[in-house]
Amino acid sequence: MRQLAKVLPALFGILLGWILVNPPAWLEPLGLLRFAVMGVLVLGLLVGFVALQLGRNLPEDVALVPRPGVEEHLEALTRGCEELGFVRAGPPVEVGVSPPAVLQALVHRQEPVYATVFRTGTLPAVTSMDFVSILHGDRGGLTTNADVRGATLPGEPGSLRQVFPGAGAAELFRRHCEALAWLRSRSLPPRPVSGERFAADFKMAMARQRRAFLAAPLRTALVAIWRSVSGRVPHRGALAQQAIAERQLRQLSLGR
């Protein structure tokens, strides 16, 4: 089943391509217009498939199963985080999404920041990392990473993100701390984090993303497809310079 989950997106893509160039015979009277009809059909199938996949990857209660030992694929990034003052929050865990991912959580010794180093179970696998902080009162959080793919899904108000494509761990951490200082100046301080709280905080973040998805699953899927294809996300650059961050902060202020 895990292998099927890995190859299913590729197989579905091949199927959609075949459908697109092989319209059924009963559409032939439409001439070239039949390809436009098939394009709409293929888009609808794609949006529905992506929505189903997103739903499977946002479970109501995501499982975090410890994997004692060392995950070689995660070690380089994990050691880079340790050089920045982070300590490991227990062993790596297998995250119960489809296909499963492996994640190493770390906590900074002084700053209220988690680091998550992870490797997806997809084909091809992706190894990456995030820096994460949680706003006081659990009203949202800040995530900083170097991969636009980590910002394809729209989130709830308060789900603040920064993407610096290609940046290394040291630059990402510096940018994250700068954004925390900016949030403090806006009366939105982060709350403390700890290794003992990581599992609960991770599940809370997944639950927030799940709520945002369930509020508009097809729209979320369409936005995710557009952002993935175009590489354009509204979270590039420093938080203080993002128009979308200003809108989210206004929503948070109104919700006080």
Side-chain angles (χ1 to χ4, degrees), residues 69-159:
V70 175
E71 294 290 336
E72 292 296 335
H73 293 295
L74 307 182
E75 273 301 289
L77 286 176
T78 299
R79 289 172 183 162
C81 290
E82 289 176 326
E83 292 174 1
L84 295 172
F86 286 85
V87 294
R88 304 187 193 211
V93 296
E94 182 176 277
V95 183
V97 294
S98 180
V102 180
L103 179 149
Q104 174 66 63
L106 302 98
V107 185
H108 199 268
R109 291 189 180 93
Q110 297 170 331
E111 300 292 340
V113 183
Y114 289 122
T116 57
V117 179
F118 58 89
R119 184 174 176 85
T120 67
T122 55
L123 287 176
V126 176
T127 303
S128 190
M129 62 177 299
D130 296 330
F131 291 113
V132 181
S133 294
I134 301 170
L135 298 181
H136 182 73
D138 295 340
R139 299 170 59 218
L142 170 67
T143 301
T144 303
N145 60 36
D147 192 335
V148 295
R149 289 172 292 188
T152 55
L153 294 184
E156 288 188 327
S159 298

Side-chain angles (χ1 to χ4, degrees), residues 2-89:
R2 291 189 177 189
Q3 293 303 316
L4 178 60
K6 288 183 178 182
V7 301
L8 185 59
L11 294 176
F12 190 76
I14 293 171
L15 175 62
L16 290 184
W18 184 87
I19 292 174
L20 184 62
V21 299
N22 291 277
W26 53 269
L27 286 178
E28 288 185 5
L30 296 177
L32 293 178
L33 186 60
R34 69 187 187 277
F35 292 104
V37 173
M38 293 307 297
V40 173
L41 173 62
V42 165
L43 178 60
L45 290 173
L46 178 61
V47 171
F49 177 77
V50 171
L52 288 173
Q53 288 291 99
L54 291 175
R56 293 180 63 193
N57 281 281
L58 293 169
E60 188 172 357
D61 184 18
V62 63
L64 299 175
V65 181
R67 291 168 57 112
V70 175
E71 294 290 336
E72 292 296 335
H73 293 295
L74 307 182
E75 273 301 289
L77 286 176
T78 299
R79 289 172 183 162
C81 290
E82 289 176 326
E83 292 174 1
L84 295 172
F86 286 85
V87 294
R88 304 187 193 211

Side-chain angles (χ1 to χ4, degrees), residues 90-251:
V93 296
E94 182 176 277
V95 183
V97 294
S98 180
V102 180
L103 179 149
Q104 174 66 63
L106 302 98
V107 185
H108 199 268
R109 291 189 180 93
Q110 297 170 331
E111 300 292 340
V113 183
Y114 289 122
T116 57
V117 179
F118 58 89
R119 184 174 176 85
T120 67
T122 55
L123 287 176
V126 176
T127 303
S128 190
M129 62 177 299
D130 296 330
F131 291 113
V132 181
S133 294
I134 301 170
L135 298 181
H136 182 73
D138 295 340
R139 299 170 59 218
L142 170 67
T143 301
T144 303
N145 60 36
D147 192 335
V148 295
R149 289 172 292 188
T152 55
L153 294 184
E156 288 188 327
S159 298
L160 306 170
R161 301 169 191 170
Q162 297 183 125
V163 182
F164 299 95
E171 181 182 355
L172 289 176
F173 182 56
R174 176 176 63 82
R175 295 282 197 168
H176 190 86
C177 291
E178 289 173 353
L180 291 181
W182 183 74
L183 287 170
R184 289 186 182 100
S185 74
R186 304 288 296 265
S187 299
L188 288 168
R191 70 156 166 81
V193 296
S194 67
E196 293 75 20
R197 298 179 69 166
F198 174 77
D201 286 341
F202 183 86
K203 292 186 177 188
M204 178 181 66
M206 289 285 285
R208 289 178 63 91
Q209 186 64 72
R210 176 181 168 84
R211 287 197 301 271
F213 167 72
L214 292 178
L218 295 181
R219 178 184 176 278
T220 299
L222 191 58
V223 170
I225 292 169
W226 164 248
R227 291 181 178 178
S228 297
V229 171
S230 68
R232 299 177 62 181
V233 297
H235 307 286
R236 285 178 180 261
L239 193 67
Q241 299 170 359
Q242 296 176 18
I244 190 171
E246 285 291 347
R247 292 197 296 271
Q248 290 176 308
L249 293 183
R250 283 197 294 270
Q251 289 175 306

